[in-house]
């Protein structure tokens, strides 16, 4: 198996975790999309990845330094990280694009992300509420302001391309390999400088540089540990909320498809998130031979308990056989991280033989 496919659900209760841009008003809106005539709040993938990166930093990761370059606000702007995926795990896992200056004839360096995540869209319509506020303490003329908040279950898919973690293809004269671009000299020089022992390989038809397996294991495990203890979001002073997943499911896949897409979605009766054992069973049957047991579920106690009982009833045989396992999200994610660190899933870090 080469991919870890999954889906994450966040339970937002009277929260405003990701704000949008106001249109010259004193009211701060939340991000929301209008779909078939109704409003669906959401948290952008960019915001979620920021939460995850910050959580990893809080847990001890040294983040890649960021520098803002380019022209003033409203004109051509750029912000670059160090674009050093060998030294910095976040550059490796989340990708980057570092645009070089034309005046200096510098090349543009880029890497698409091994960790892909979708938009955390509400699973049902939820019209945000506007909260009106007044700042009147110690001022003669009160300052009026407002902001939006909402209650909804949000869900998004994710996909982690494990063989590409710590693996960097080298561009050819025709430009091949650029999605994971790293110059050969830079890669080898940095690797030698930090004694990480990178090696030259052929990866998916391209010449590449790959970090040692223990480094790649640790980076994936760090990502899972951070998911287990995720923090972040806007308006925490007024709308503090737990941002750790209410539900997270994951399974190893041979290809980059996600059988959990419709198994975890909105309920037909408007009751928030629904997890369908019947849909999951059909998906697993359709993709037989392309996934590896078990399908891991982290399901927080108290979240959609009635649905959980129905789910466990519909998949009782698979649960008894150990093909589907259910636990707490923190326990599931940390347990999987430890299995990866120990080398139990080393085969996941290479593409399946064809």
């Amino acid at each position: 198996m080469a991919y870890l496919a999954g889906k994450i659900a966040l339970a937002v209760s009277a929260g405003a975790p990701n704000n949008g841009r106001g249109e010259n008003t004193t009211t701060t809106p939340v991000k929301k999309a209008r779909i078939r005539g109704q409003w669906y709040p959401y948290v952008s993938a960019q915001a979620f990845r920021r939460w995850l990166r910050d959580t990893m930093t809080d847990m001890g990761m040294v983040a890649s330094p960021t520098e803002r370059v380019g022209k003033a606000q409203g004109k051509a702007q750029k912000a670059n990280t160090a674009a050093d995926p060998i030294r910095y795990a976040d550059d490796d896992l989340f990708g980057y694009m570092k645009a070089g200056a034309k005046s200096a004839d510098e090349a543009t360096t880029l890497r698409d992300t091994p960790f892909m995540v979708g938009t955390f869209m509400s699973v049902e319509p939820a019209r945000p509420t506007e909260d009106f506020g007044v700042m009147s303490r110690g001022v003669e003329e009160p300052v009026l302001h407002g902001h939006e908040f909402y209650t909804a279950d949000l869900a998004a898919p994710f996909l982690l391309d494990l063989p590409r973690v710590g693996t960097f293809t080298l561009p050819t004269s025709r430009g091949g390999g650029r999605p994971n671009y790293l110059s050969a000299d830079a890669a080898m020089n940095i690797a030698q400088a930090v004694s990480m022992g990178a090696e030259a390989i052929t990866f998916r038809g391209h010449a590449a540089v790959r970090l040692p397996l223990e480094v790649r294991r640790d980076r994936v495990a760090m990502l899972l540990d951070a998911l287990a203890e995720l923090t972040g979001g806007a308006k925490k002073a007024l709308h503090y909320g737990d941002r750790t997943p209410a539900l997270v499911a994951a399974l190893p896949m041979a290809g980059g498809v996600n059988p959990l897409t419709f198994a975890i979605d909105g309920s037909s009766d408007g009751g928030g998130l629904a997890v369908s054992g019947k849909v999951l069973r059909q998906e697993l049957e359709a993709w037989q031979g392309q996934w590896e047991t078990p399908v891991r579920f982290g399901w927080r106690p108290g979240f959609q308990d009635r649905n959980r009982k129905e789910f466990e009833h519909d998949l009782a045989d698979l649960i008894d056989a150990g093909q589907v396992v259910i636990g707490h999200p923190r326990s599931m994610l940390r347990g999987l991280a430890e299995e990866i660190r120990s080398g139990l899933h080393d085969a996941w870090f290479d593409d399946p033989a064809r």
Side-chain angles (χ1 to χ4, degrees), residues 306-349:
R306 183 179 299 178
N307 186 187
R308 178 168 178 169
K309 290 180 180 178
E310 182 180 352
F311 177 80
E312 292 176 348
H313 175 269
D314 290 341
L315 295 181
D317 57 327
L318 299 184
I319 294 172
D320 290 343
Q323 294 185 316
V324 174
V325 296
I326 306 174
H328 192 283
R330 186 171 189 268
S331 302
M332 185 275 275
L333 289 165
R334 285 166 58 90
L336 180 56
E338 187 54 39
E339 289 177 11
I340 287 172
R341 278 197 182 93
S342 70
L344 188 61
H345 302 302
D346 283 354
W348 295 356
F349 289 87

Side-chain angles (χ1 to χ4, degrees), residues 44-64:
S44 70
Q46 179 188 20
F48 180 82
R49 285 158 60 91
R50 171 66 184 270
W51 302 352
L52 191 54
R53 190 190 299 254
D54 288 349
T55 302
M56 292 169 69
T57 302
D58 291 342
M59 297 174 70
M61 180 192 76
V62 178
S64 180

